[in-house]
Amino acid sequence: MKRALAKITGEICKKFGNDPTRMMDIAMAVQERFGCVSPEAMDEIARAVNSHRVEVESLVTFYGFLSVKPQGKVVIRLCRDIIDWMKGYESVADAMSRELGVSMGETTPDGAITLTHAPCIGMSDQAPAALVNEVVVTHLTPERGRQLVRDLRRHLDPQQLVTMVGDGNNDHPLVRSMVRNNIRMRGPVHFADFEPGSGLRRALTLKPMDVIREIKESRLRGRGGAGFPAGLKWEMAANAPGGKRYVICNADEGEPGTFKDRVLLTECTGQLLEGMAIAGYAVGSDTGIIYLRGEYRYLLPYLESVIEERLRRGFLGRDILGKKGFRFDVRVQMGAGAYICGEETALISSCEGLPGVPKNRPPFPPQQGYLGCPTIVNNVETLCCVSRILLEGAAWFASMGSPRTTGTKVLSICGDCRKPGVYEVPFGISARELIEMSEAENTGTMLIGGPCRQMIGSERFGGRICYDDLATGGAILIFNRARNKLEIAEHYLDFFIEESCGHCTPCRVGLILLKKAVHKVIEGAGEPSDLAEMRDLSNFIIRMSRCGLGQAAPNPVLGALEIFGDLSAGFVAERKPGLLPEFDLSKAVIDAEMRVGRQSKIV
Amino acid sequence: MAAKPRIATVSLAGCFGCHMSLLDLDERILKLAELVEFDRSPINDYKDFRARCAVGVVEGGCCTEENVHVLERFRKQCDLLVSIGECAISGGIPAMRNNIPLRECLEEAYLKSPGVYNPGGVIPNDPEIPLLLHRLYPCHEVVKIDLFIPGCPPPADAIWDALVSLLAGRPAAPAYDRLKYD
């Protein structure tokens, strides 16, 4: 057994050239083969790639989908995002856990099935959803959860759970998924017809620097959320000293409530790969990497088939479209369940076979990124825009949207609305229009851009979706008036606490203190001074955290506080001086009372 | 002349180091005595309050039921309550027991420790000994605290600045160099 493990692990490492920068792929292959990356396997990997055991272990223990301890042959990951929670996560979890006879996080005694939960898996428009190994199941109910468990017990084959397939390419033989696209509004950039090769052909008639100029003139800004001008990023990479350059597509959409890249990856795959090749031509790169989040593993065979098809048709590979010397290849790097890898420097770390820990900046990735080489990291949607801009021209693109934010935006709308799904809308549309389009009623609160951006109340529903007002990477979450804003904030604090890498103290410790404070107010024990303290602590965490996660994590709390006014009376009151309500003296002395056999005199 | 504001101090589960730092005000302690009236404090050895106080200064966290009782009394008797030093704010050394069950702590201290001579195997249990809490609580987890002066101990200057600001009705924001120790 041990020798078999050593032999197979050795073969896996060899398949990836014993290359330590491919450690992610190695660890995932080992996990797939053995159900875990055991300490023995870690020793073998370290030996084969000439690294250290600690390097392997720090990688394996970092990612949610990698495990040191054996897991079941089938792993059910129930999505625990707030939207799933609103749509019945708890009753589904309870039903499945009873049917399996194990609690959350446990494996059935026969080692067949593990039941656990996952943060947002990108299915908020069809919640509650779960990943069963890499197979997605949507619209769960307690009864369907029980049935799913009974079926799995019989055949242990997740793919057999898919009885109805979704629309569009979800029906493709290589996808066969029950996921639905739910495209509610088709815009001209992403969901209009796109002739494969047309954007690329136009790009290759230009000089690389003119392609960059075209992108700059379109005033395309990054669609991942930060809104950095794409042309400027490309120019920095093109001008940076260095030989090899890389184009990375960030397909790690992990922001809770975001699922638009999932639809673009399913329906606009060619347009995306074309955008990458154009980027490669513009900055002088011959290698592209798509960093695909582990939750979207079910799209991998399809993505790879599209890459192959484009190689055959001369849109990728050597001498693309007959242009001598222009070569561009793309590989897919799978992620393994880490929210932070959506941050570009953490994503680069992950591509390098390291734990997804953000890097210090400067140097910025366009100067020194992947393996120290100039690298551009662009969101899926940004790269799709690139193909269309080259095809239709910068002026066409810039004529849409708001003055300082051009083009259209693909939004994923979910929550308390009748029509959750994907909407391609021009930038500058108001939050109120989104409420109407998605047929939401009685809306009390919206999270624009997911929890790491901003929570707004009704007084800001007139605000516009653009980088100067309500910025978003795509997530629009809608909550009706019955939802408690602070509970929403607390839910997301739990998420950020789980996803914090623990590297810096303000984020690791501060978020827990903040959660305690929020919880106290929810419990009705808060005082006005607690609100001020929550604000101070939030600002401290934002100012002192090392990366974007900590710098964004307190935003839902700040948002809730800002629109707290109408709620505060019921929650917060001045209290008489004395012991705090959350301090329970009788509980604090019970150990001692039992030990010495007498009662406290002051309880 | 208006009555001077009254100030009370106490050391709970602390080492009196913060009070030493208070005494380290040197001749300024005379100036302080001119500005305020000392009420309950180890400095004058008053065991209980004589009147309501403007400021209560608390060193150390809560380790026993008596600490809780005293802290509650301070909260009720003082307008402003100030946590000073590591132990009051974070628990400090006494909080090192927080991850060990109380029973194990007592057995280690009275029965198992090297050098312990305790042939009867008795763990002290006189009714006058206050009961221990299951863990140490920093003060702000027991009562509301208005102000924190960090340090182990906070330097005399930090205490002086804070008290003088409070007496003058100014916000007692400590200067950066009072808070950094490297």
Side-chain angles (χ1 to χ4, degrees):
Chain A
M1 182 64 201
K2 237 182 177 171
R3 280 176 55 193
L5 180 130
K7 185 163 169 283
I8 295 166
T9 306
E11 281 165 11
I12 290 171
C13 293
K14 206 168 163 194
K15 189 181 146 204
F16 291 102
N18 290 332
D19 181 354
T21 70
R22 299 300 295 275
M23 196 116 79
M24 280 288 280
D25 305 270
I26 293 170
M28 278 185 283
V30 170
Q31 165 108 10
E32 197 169 311
R33 179 69 178 72
F34 297 102
C36 68
V37 188
S38 63
E40 294 79 22
M42 290 194 267
D43 283 336
E44 284 304 323
I45 297 172
R47 198 171 306 137
V49 305
N50 196 19
S51 178
H52 300 281
R53 160 74 182 269
V54 65
E55 305 284 352
V56 186
E57 190 156 351
S58 64
L59 177 103
V60 172
T61 52
F62 183 85
Y63 293 95
F65 287 3
L66 295 175
S67 165
V68 181
K69 285 193 189 132
Q71 291 195 294
K73 285 196 181 63
V74 175
V75 181
I76 304 174
R77 291 192 168 84
L78 261 178
C79 180
R80 197 178 54 166
D81 184 55
I82 193 161
I83 303 294
D84 297 72
W85 185 68
M86 280 157 39
K87 308 278 178 189
Y89 163 84
E90 277 179 338
S91 58
V92 175
D94 190 54
M96 291 174 87
S97 143
R98 275 166 200 271
E99 188 68 33
L100 281 166
V102 297
S103 355
M104 253 314 144
E106 288 180 355
T107 304
T108 50
D110 59 356
I113 303 175
T114 300
L115 178 66
T116 181
H117 54 71
C120 185
I121 61 170
M123 303 290 159
S124 301
D125 56 338
Q126 34 214 310
L131 286 172
V132 184
N133 289 354
E134 69 269 11
V135 173
V136 183
V137 287
T138 58
H139 292 298
L140 284 164
T141 59
E143 185 41 46
R144 292 179 69 176
R146 273 189 289 269
Q147 188 58 45
L148 181 151
V149 169
R150 285 195 286 265
D151 291 347
L152 275 180
R153 277 199 195 280
R154 217 172 51 241
H155 51 60
L156 283 182
D157 177 11
Q159 191 56 44
Q160 282 192 43
L161 298 170
V162 181
T163 46
M164 289 249 296
V165 288
D167 54 340
N169 283 331
N170 291 304
D171 189 18
H172 190 280
L174 289 172
V175 184
R176 299 292 299 163
S177 169
M178 67 195 287
V179 174
R180 296 196 61 83
N181 287 331
N182 287 330
I183 302 171
R184 309 275 184 183
M185 187 167 289
R186 294 172 179 271
V189 176
H190 301 280
F191 297 118
D193 285 342
F194 187 84
E195 167 68 29
S198 54
L200 189 55
R201 201 164 280 125
R202 160 91 206 292
L204 295 184
T205 63
L206 304 173
K207 287 198 196 108
M209 56 183 287
D210 291 328
V211 174
I212 294 177
R213 183 176 305 145
E214 185 92 18
I215 297 300
K216 284 177 100 172
E217 280 170 6
S218 75
R219 284 178 283 144
L220 171 66
R221 296 174 67 170
R223 264 40 179 171
F228 192 82
L232 183 60
K233 190 186 273 187
W234 290 16
E235 192 174 56
M236 282 166 73
N239 292 338
K244 195 146 171 86
R245 278 154 228 276
Y246 291 90
V247 173
I248 297 183
C249 165
N250 183 346
D252 190 62
E253 67 172 347
E255 193 59 36
T258 318
F259 46 85
K260 50 105 190 166
D261 286 346
R262 186 234 310 147
V263 175
L264 294 177
L265 287 161
T266 312
E267 299 302 330
C268 307
T269 325
Q271 199 175 330
L272 163 65
L273 287 164
E274 191 146 334
M276 290 181 76
I278 294 168
Y281 177 67
V283 305
S285 155
D286 63 1
T287 309
I289 301 172
I290 298 177
Y291 187 90
L292 182 67
R293 70 183 301 216
E295 291 81 349
Y296 295 167
R297 174 73 200 259
Y298 73 99
L299 290 170
L300 178 65
Y302 172 68
L303 276 179
E304 286 180 335
S305 78
V306 180
I307 292 172
E308 262 170 47
E309 191 206 323
R310 291 183 71 87
L311 271 169
R312 266 201 315 275
R313 296 180 65 181
F315 301 148
L316 286 175
R318 284 175 191 283
D319 302 332
I320 291 175
L321 289 175
K323 183 97 178 173
K324 284 276 167 243
F326 172 43
R327 177 182 185 149
F328 193 74
D329 289 295
V330 175
R331 77 169 170 96
V332 182
Q333 171 68 58
M334 285 307 305
Y339 167 75
I340 186 63
C341 289
E343 196 276 344
E344 62 174 1
T345 61
L347 182 148
I348 289 171
S349 296
S350 189
C351 287
E352 290 169 337
L354 301 169
V357 175
K359 297 172 189 283
N360 287 331
R361 289 180 289 191
F364 293 91
Q367 304 162 313
Q368 276 177 46
Y370 180 61
L371 302 177
C373 303
T375 304
I376 55 170
V377 181
N378 280 135
N379 176 261
V380 173
E381 189 185 342
T382 314
L383 289 162
C384 287
C385 288
V386 164
S387 309
R388 186 71 71 179
I389 290 167
L390 265 295
L391 178 64
E392 305 281 357
W396 173 83
F397 187 83
S399 70
M400 292 180 288
S402 71
R404 292 186 53 195
T405 317
T406 55
T408 64
K409 181 81 191 88
V410 184
L411 299 175
S412 17
I413 303 183
C414 59
D416 292 318
C417 63
R418 234 178 263 124
K419 286 192 170 168
V422 169
Y423 295 73
E424 186 186 343
V425 295
F427 266 114
I429 197 168
S430 73
R432 189 167 288 116
E433 284 169 277
L434 299 179
I435 292 173
E436 283 160 17
M437 272 166 30
S438 61
E439 297 184 9
E441 276 169 15
N442 215 5
T443 302
T445 313
M446 294 173 86
L447 268 175
I448 308 286
C452 88
R453 287 279 161 167
Q454 48 190 340
M455 186 189 270
I456 60 167
S458 53
E459 71 287 350
R460 287 197 64 197
F461 287 172
R464 303 203 166 265
I465 305 294
C466 62
Y467 290 108
D468 300 320
D469 191 359
L470 302 173
T472 173
I476 305 285
L477 295 94
I478 298 178
F479 302 95
N480 68 29
R481 280 181 213 283
R483 312 275 179 202
N484 181 336
K485 301 168 182 78
L486 275 180
E487 271 177 25
I488 300 170
E490 189 190 19
H491 193 98
Y492 283 122
L493 279 175
D494 282 332
F495 166 76
F496 285 120
I497 287 166
E498 194 165 317
E499 293 297 328
S500 169
C501 78
H503 192 110
C504 69
T505 315
C507 174
R508 183 185 67 241
V509 178
L511 291 178
I512 289 177
L513 295 177
L514 190 57
K515 182 192 149 72
K516 278 189 180 170
V518 170
H519 193 74
K520 179 180 173 186
V521 176
I522 291 175
E523 295 281 290
E527 293 193 49
S529 60
D530 288 325
L531 301 185
E533 266 171 40
M534 273 153 70
R535 225 170 253 128
D536 283 353
L537 183 56
S538 296
N539 288 326
F540 176 82
I541 296 169
I542 290 171
R543 196 159 46 93
M544 302 303 281
S545 289
R546 180 163 174 263
C547 82
L549 191 144
Q551 290 158 13
N555 282 347
V557 178
L558 288 176
L561 286 175
E562 199 174 304
I563 48 182
F564 197 66
D566 52 329
L567 285 175
S568 58
F571 282 96
V572 178
E574 286 287 356
R575 274 156 228 289
K576 277 198 190 137
L579 297 181
L580 292 171
E582 67 268 29
F583 175 73
D584 187 342
L585 181 59
S586 55
K587 256 194 200 152
V589 292
I590 197 158
D591 283 2
E593 287 178 338
M594 303 241 294
R595 174 83 206 137
V596 302
R598 61 184 161 93
Q599 300 282 305
S600 164
K601 291 227 165 42
I602 67 165
V603 169
Chain B
M1 187 179 132
K4 288 192 278 189
R6 302 179 77 82
I7 182 169
T9 74
V10 69
S11 176
L12 304 173
C15 69
F16 274 91
C18 297
H19 275 79
M20 289 299 132
S21 201
L22 184 64
L23 292 178
D24 200 27
L25 289 174
D26 300 330
E27 72 280 7
R28 279 176 295 182
I29 196 102
L30 298 174
K31 175 87 174 145
L32 186 63
E34 276 173 28
L35 291 170
V36 300
E37 190 77 52
F38 269 87
D39 199 293
R40 174 177 176 162
S41 171
I43 291 170
N44 52 21
D45 212 20
Y46 288 173
K47 303 297 188 203
D48 203 356
F49 287 95
R50 316 221 146 175
R52 186 162 181 85
C53 292
V55 179
V57 176
V58 184
E59 168 191 347
C62 289
C63 173
T64 70
E65 56 176 345
E66 194 244 355
N67 294 154
V68 173
H69 175 70
V70 172
L71 185 58
E72 185 182 12
R73 189 146 172 74
F74 261 70
R75 178 70 271 180
K76 286 180 173 166
Q77 288 292 323
C78 305
D79 297 339
L80 277 177
L81 212 50
V82 186
S83 261
I84 68 166
E86 166 71 10
C87 299
I89 295 172
S90 305
I93 299 280
M96 286 174 73
R97 77 169 167 99
N98 278 7
N99 291 320
I100 302 165
L102 180 61
R103 185 194 179 91
E104 278 179 41
C105 288
L106 290 169
E107 286 175 356
E108 185 65 27
Y110 291 107
L111 305 178
K112 292 183 181 162
S113 230
V116 165
Y117 178 73
N118 186 356
V122 178
I123 290 179
N125 183 20
D126 191 280
E128 294 223 335
I129 301 174
L131 296 179
L132 288 164
L133 308 183
H134 67 122
R135 69 170 174 91
L136 184 122
Y137 286 81
C139 293
H140 63 272
E141 289 185 8
V142 176
V143 299
K144 187 179 159 194
I145 299 291
D146 301 292
L147 211 81
F148 301 85
I149 307 178
C152 186
D157 288 339
I159 300 174
W160 173 256
D161 287 355
L163 290 179
V164 169
S165 304
L166 285 178
L167 289 168
R170 287 196 306 265
Y176 178 65
D177 58 355
R178 297 266 192 269
L179 290 176
K180 89 181 217 328
Y181 299 97
D182 55 349

